[in-house]
């Protein structure tokens, strides 16, 4: 492990039991993490996390060559991957027979595979495409399910009512999800170099979305702690901030020495269908 990565693993985990386990992988803009969950015992067997990557997708590709845990024959594999080409289509406008018609709204041109991710709880379908290099890397995971990076965060949002701003942090970026009465109003990913830049984006989000600071609950997950600069920055505008944990019966003893909210959005992928 280098200074930016950790591997937490249950000493009793037997790689031979992989066929009863799920592999959850999250490839961010500047981070890469995965978790191994035993479906029978409902135990988190391992969590790997690497922050401050120059390129999360490249780091995953490199790790795939050397990490034997990524190559085990799992029961199910799920990937949540950052991409600039993603759009949410309301279900009444979604045209499954002609997915290409929706791609005209992508930020960048594309010439790869189109993927769909139904968000039936919120009434829309996410359509996205991945970089060719990522598609190439994932070729060996023939039966893997692929999701847009925010899939775990959206899963966490399903249990929330009213007005909610959810922020999912890495060391150098954060994902935003704004929910109004069970409707997704806004989602985006921002890179940040310092607290001043983070403050700018928070003010931009508040002002552009006309967020009522008294009515909106602030929910945090990922690499953020009480007392750090980003946390204090948020409390300039919101009266309080709540940390989100995964609402499951998973045994997470392997994470006992870590803040419970660090890997909530990663573990929430286990509930994505």
């Amino acid at each position: 492990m280098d200074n930016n990565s950790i591997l937490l693993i249950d000493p009793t985990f037997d790689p031979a039991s992989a066929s009863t386990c799920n592999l959850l992988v999250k490839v961010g803009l500047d981070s890469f993490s995965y978790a191994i969950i035993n479906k029978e015992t409902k135990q988190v067997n391992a969590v790997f996390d690497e922050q401050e990557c120059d390129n999360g997708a490249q780091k995953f590709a490199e790790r795939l060559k050397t990490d034997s845990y990524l190559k085990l024959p799992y029961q199910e594999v799920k990937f949540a991957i950052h991409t600039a080409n993603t759009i949410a289509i309301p279900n009444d406008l979604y045209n499954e027979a002609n997915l290409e018609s929706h791609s005209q709204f992508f930020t960048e041109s594309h010439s790869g595979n189109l993927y769909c991710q139904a968000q039936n709880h919120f009434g829309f379908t996410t359509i996205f495409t991945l970089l060719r290099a990522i598609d190439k890397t994932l070729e060996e995971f023939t039966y893997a399910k692929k999701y847009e990076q925010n899939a775990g965060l959206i899963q966490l949002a399903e249990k929330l009512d009213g007005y909610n701003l959810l922020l999912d942090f890495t060391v150098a970026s954060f994902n935003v999800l704004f929910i109004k009465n069970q409707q997704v109003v806004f989602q985006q990913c921002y890179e940040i170099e310092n607290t001043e830049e983070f403050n700018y984006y928070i003010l931009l989000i508040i002002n552009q979305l006309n967020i009522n600071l008294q009515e909106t609950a602030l929910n945090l997950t990922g690499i953020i702690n009480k007392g750090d600069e980003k946390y204090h920055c948020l409390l300039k505008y919101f009266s309080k901030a709540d940390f989100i944990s995964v609402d499951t019966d998973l045994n997470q003893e392997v994470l006992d020495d870590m803040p419970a909210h660090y890997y909530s959005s990663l573990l929430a992928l286990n509930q994505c269908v």
Side-chain angles (χ1 to χ4, degrees):
M1 300 297 116
D2 61 36
N3 292 334
N4 294 331
S5 68
I6 60 169
L7 174 62
L8 304 171
I9 190 160
D10 182 343
T12 67
F13 173 58
D14 181 2
S17 69
S19 62
T20 64
C21 298
N22 280 2
L23 174 67
L24 314 175
V25 181
K26 187 177 176 184
V27 181
L29 189 65
D30 61 335
S31 63
F32 160 61
S33 58
Y34 70 76
I36 301 170
I37 298 178
N38 189 296
K39 294 290 286 183
E40 294 182 352
T41 64
K42 297 182 179 179
Q43 183 171 5
V44 180
N45 287 322
V47 170
F48 172 84
D49 181 41
E50 182 155 357
Q51 296 287 318
E52 298 183 271
C53 307
D54 290 334
N55 183 307
Q58 182 179 338
K59 181 56 64 176
F60 165 60
E62 294 171 357
R63 188 84 192 173
L64 188 58
K65 298 175 183 177
T66 60
D67 192 331
S68 60
Y69 290 121
L70 289 172
K71 296 179 176 292
L72 296 174
Y74 293 101
Q75 182 180 123
E76 193 170 34
V77 180
K78 298 180 179 180
F79 288 99
I81 304 170
H82 171 78
T83 174
N85 275 351
T86 178
I87 184 169
I89 306 293
N91 285 344
D92 57 351
L93 299 177
Y94 174 59
N95 184 357
E96 185 177 7
N98 188 14
L99 293 181
E100 192 64 40
S101 66
H102 299 299
S103 68
Q104 63 182 302
F105 303 107
F106 284 160
T107 303
E108 302 171 358
S109 61
H110 88 94
S111 57
N113 299 321
L114 281 171
Y115 300 101
C116 302
Q117 173 190 332
Q119 298 291 354
N120 292 326
H121 180 86
F122 291 109
F124 68 89
T125 297
T126 298
I127 300 175
F128 61 99
T129 184
L130 304 174
L131 294 174
R132 280 185 173 274
I134 286 288
D135 272 334
K136 185 71 175 176
T137 301
L138 297 182
E139 282 181 354
E140 64 184 90
F141 296 93
T142 311
Y143 301 105
K145 295 181 178 179
K146 302 174 184 69
Y147 305 89
E148 199 271 335
Q149 182 184 358
N150 255 6
L153 193 61
I154 291 175
Q155 183 67 41
L156 292 170
E158 288 190 8
K159 65 180 181 180
L160 302 175
D161 294 317
Y163 290 29
N164 289 272
L165 181 66
L166 295 88
L167 306 180
D168 184 12
F169 291 87
T170 69
V171 169
S173 69
F174 69 106
N175 279 280
V176 180
L177 186 64
F178 183 46
I179 307 288
K180 273 187 181 182
N181 298 322
Q182 294 292 299
Q183 298 230 339
V184 174
V185 176
F186 179 78
Q187 51 183 326
Q188 187 58 271
C189 179
Y190 297 98
E191 288 185 88
I192 46 174
E193 292 188 3
N194 49 50
T195 307
E196 289 73 23
E197 192 169 13
F198 175 64
N199 185 76
Y200 166 80
Y201 283 125
I202 292 300
L203 280 175
L204 180 67
I205 291 164
I206 291 171
N207 292 328
Q208 291 291 320
L209 300 178
N210 293 316
I211 292 177
N212 186 313
L213 299 177
Q214 282 69 49
E215 295 181 358
T216 303
L218 179 62
N219 301 274
L220 311 178
T221 183
I223 312 302
I224 185 171
N225 298 290
K226 281 186 177 180
D228 68 19
E229 291 183 345
K230 284 177 282 193
Y231 184 85
H232 281 307
C233 177
L234 289 166
L235 291 188
K236 291 193 299 184
Y237 311 108
F238 295 87
S239 59
K240 70 168 187 168
D242 295 318
F243 292 102
I244 316 172
S245 58
V246 181
D247 185 19
T248 71
D249 54 358
L250 288 177
N251 179 338
Q252 301 181 48
E253 289 182 10
V254 72
L255 293 171
D256 278 352
D257 292 333
M258 306 294 290
H261 61 277
Y262 267 22
Y263 303 111
S264 295
S265 60
L266 171 65
L267 298 178
L269 293 175
N270 198 49
Q271 301 173 343
C272 293
V273 297

